[in-house]
Amino acid sequence: MTARTSQEGVRLSDGVSIPLIGFGTWQLDGDDAYNGARAALDIGYRHIDTATAYDNEDKVGAAVRDSGIGRQDVFITTKCPPGNAGREAQTLDASLKALGVDFVDLWLVHWPPNGEARPETWKAFIEALERGKTRAIGVSNYSIAQIDELIAATDQAPAINQIPWNPFAFDGREVAELRSRQVVLEGYSPLKRSDLGNPVLAEIAAVHGKTPAQVILRWHVEHGFVVLPRSQRRERIEENFDIFDFQLAPEELRRLDALGA
Ligand SMILES: NC(=O)c1ccc[n+]([C@@H]2O[C@H](COP(=O)([O-])OP(=O)(O)OC[C@H]3O[C@@H](n4cnc5c(N)ncnc54)[C@H](OP(=O)(O)O)[C@@H]3O)[C@@H](O)[C@H]2O)c1
C-alpha cells in the first residue's frame, strides 16, 4: 500500500476506515493535550489517540469541539485500562462523558488484564459495539496467541492490535500473522523507540530532503501500518504530518525493514 493523501485510511475488518496517521496524546496533560490536539486538527490530522489512563479525554474532547470539525470527520480512539476489566461498560460511559461524544470510533483493551487475554472483557467490548457506543473494537499489547484466544471464544477478531512499532522493531512474521487474521497493525512510540541518528535513516532522509522522523512515519504509511506520533511542539506536529509529498523506493523500504533484523 502506498498512501498518497493525508486522509488515506485503512479499512478495518468491520468496514470502518481509520486514517493512517493519528495524533498521540500520551503524557500530554491539561493545556498541552488541548493545544496539541487543536494544533493537530488545525494542521490536518483527523485521528486522535487517547485513553482512560492518559487522563486527558476531556481536553481532547474540548479540542475536537472547538476545532469546528464535524464529529463524524474526526476518528477518536480511547482505551480501557486493564484494571477496569469487569467494569467495561461503565468505563466506556465515563470515556464518552469526558470526551463529550455519543460514540468513539475505536475502543481498545489497553493491555491484557493481568497479562491474560480475558475473553469475558472481549465479550463486553462486542456488546459495546453492538450497542453503537463504538464503531470498532480492538486490543493493544496482545500477543498472537492471546488474539487467537479471543477469536476462539467469540468468533470475532479484534479490528486492531496497537503495539510498539518502528523500522528497528520490524518483524515480517508478526505482520503476516496479524494480516492473516485481518487484524490491522497500529504502531505506537514510532519515534521515541527509534534511533533517529541511524546512518541508513539519515541517508534516505537526505535523498528526499526530509527528516529521519518523517522517513520513519512515511515507512509506516507505505506499509499500511497505522502510526501515532506525539509531540507537544506545533512545528513538530506539522513536520510529522508533512509526509505525503514523497515516496520511498522499494529498495529504500527494504533497507528500512532490514533495520529490524
Ligand atoms: N497502547 C499503548 O500501550 C501505548 C503506549 C505508548 C504510546 N501509545 C500511543 O502512541 C503515541 C505515540 O507514542 P509515544 O508518545 O510513546 O512516543 P513517540 O510519538 O514515538 O515519541 C514522542 C517523543 O518524540 C519527540 N518527537 C516528536 N516528533 C519528533 C520529531 N519530528 N523529531 C524528533 N523528535 C520528535 C517528542 O518530543 P516533543 O514533544 O518535545 O516534540 C516526544 O519526546 C502515544 O502518544 C499514545 O497515543 C500507546
Side-chain angles (χ1 to χ4, degrees):
M1 141 156 230
T2 302
R4 282 166 296 269
T5 75
S6 58
Q7 304 313 337
E8 201 156 314
V10 188
R11 199 154 279 280
L12 302 178
S13 48
D14 29 19
V16 173
S17 180
I18 181 170
L20 278 163
I21 184 162
F23 181 66
T25 67
W26 183 37
Q27 294 177 326
L28 294 184
D29 304 319
D31 287 349
D32 286 340
Y34 178 83
N35 293 333
R38 271 304 294 276
L41 291 166
D42 185 37
I43 286 160
Y45 292 73
R46 290 294 179 268
H47 168 188
I48 301 185
D49 182 85
T50 181
T52 295
Y54 300 171
D55 204 19
N56 61 14
E57 288 169 311
D58 56 338
K59 303 294 178 192
V60 167
V64 171
R65 269 191 308 284
D66 294 352
S67 73
I69 299 163
R71 168 68 190 91
Q72 69 284 357
D73 295 324
V74 183
F75 191 101
I76 302 176
T77 298
T78 195
K79 316 184 190 84
C80 180
N84 289 29
R87 288 178 285 123
E88 295 86 357
Q90 297 94 307
T91 303
L92 181 53
D93 283 344
S95 286
L96 296 178
K97 190 167 173 213
L99 283 159
V101 297
D102 299 328
F103 64 92
V104 288
D105 297 282
L106 177 63
W107 191 36
L108 303 177
V109 186
H110 203 149
W111 287 85
N114 206 21
E116 297 161 8
R118 292 285 180 94
E120 290 315 312
T121 286
W122 188 236
K123 283 177 189 163
F125 269 58
I126 293 171
E127 210 170 292
L129 180 69
E130 287 168 355
R131 292 174 64 196
K133 294 196 171 197
T134 180
R135 293 173 67 224
I137 51 175
V139 295
S140 179
N141 300 300
Y142 269 57
S143 67
I144 298 295
Q146 288 171 327
I147 288 173
D148 283 343
E149 236 185 280
L150 300 185
I151 297 172
T154 64
D155 223 14
Q156 175 143 356
I160 287 250
N161 191 18
Q162 186 181 116
I163 53 175
W165 200 246
N166 62 65
F168 301 92
F170 180 75
D171 174 356
R173 227 177 14 188
E174 179 82 6
V175 174
E177 296 283 5
L178 289 172
R179 287 214 171 126
S180 71
R181 291 163 178 78
Q182 292 177 351
V183 180
V184 169
L185 194 163
E186 180 171 47
Y188 72 68
S189 304
L191 305 172
K192 205 169 64 183
R193 290 174 181 246
S194 291
D195 172 11
L196 295 178
N198 177 277
V200 173
L201 213 48
E203 188 189 319
I204 295 173
V207 166
H208 294 281
K210 291 287 177 180
T211 65
Q214 288 172 319
V215 169
I216 286 176
L217 300 172
R218 181 74 204 176
W219 172 85
H220 283 78
V221 302
E222 288 205 18
H223 270 301
F225 307 139
V226 180
V227 65
L228 303 169
R230 182 248 314 174
S231 174
Q232 56 184 2
R233 307 188 208 181
R234 190 185 168 100
E235 66 275 15
R236 281 184 170 170
I237 298 174
E238 210 158 344
E239 171 187 333
N240 295 341
F241 198 68
D242 183 18
I243 58 167
F244 295 94
D245 60 353
F246 76 111
Q247 204 171 323
L248 297 168
E251 179 53 24
E252 291 173 328
L253 278 174
R254 273 194 291 278
R255 289 182 72 199
L256 292 166
D257 291 353
L259 293 175

